[in-house]
Amino acid sequence: MTDTATQPVADTAATDTDEEAVYDVPADATAYRCSYCGRPFARESWLALHRGLAHPSELDDEEVEAFRAAHDEEEESLSTFRLQALGALVLIYFGFLMVYALV
């Protein structure tokens, strides 16, 4: 017996072969749509990243600058996350080491 609520949902991301992808965007949500393919995004920075990665040859100078700014911001966020994850792993490791030393 299968539960329909837990079945995997097909990926509806737009690809080069899937021109008619359907996106479920709530009516009251703000969506930033790509002017090249129509794909909606919840954040303007995600739209800038999408344009830079999916449509690099079609961008004007302003869109290229928006992509670079969004990319730099994303890279900084990832670097911060990596440092925090490393710190957490070091704390967990030494925590287990101290517990092992006491037992």
Side-chain angles (χ1 to χ4, degrees), residues 6 9 11 14 17 35 40 45-46 53 59 61 64 66 89 92 95 100:
T6 59
V9 178
D11 185 18
T17 59
S35 57
S45 62
W46 293 351
L53 295 173
L59 301 181
D61 292 337
V64 169
L89 287 174
I92 290 170
Y100 179 74

Side-chain angles (χ1 to χ4, degrees), residues 7 11 18 21 31 33 36 38 43 47 56 60 62-63 88 94 97:
Q7 290 181 347
D11 185 18
D18 186 15
R33 294 204 175 270
Y36 302 108
R43 296 183 183 169
L47 173 60
D60 60 17
E62 184 178 311
E63 291 172 332
F94 281 107
L97 186 65

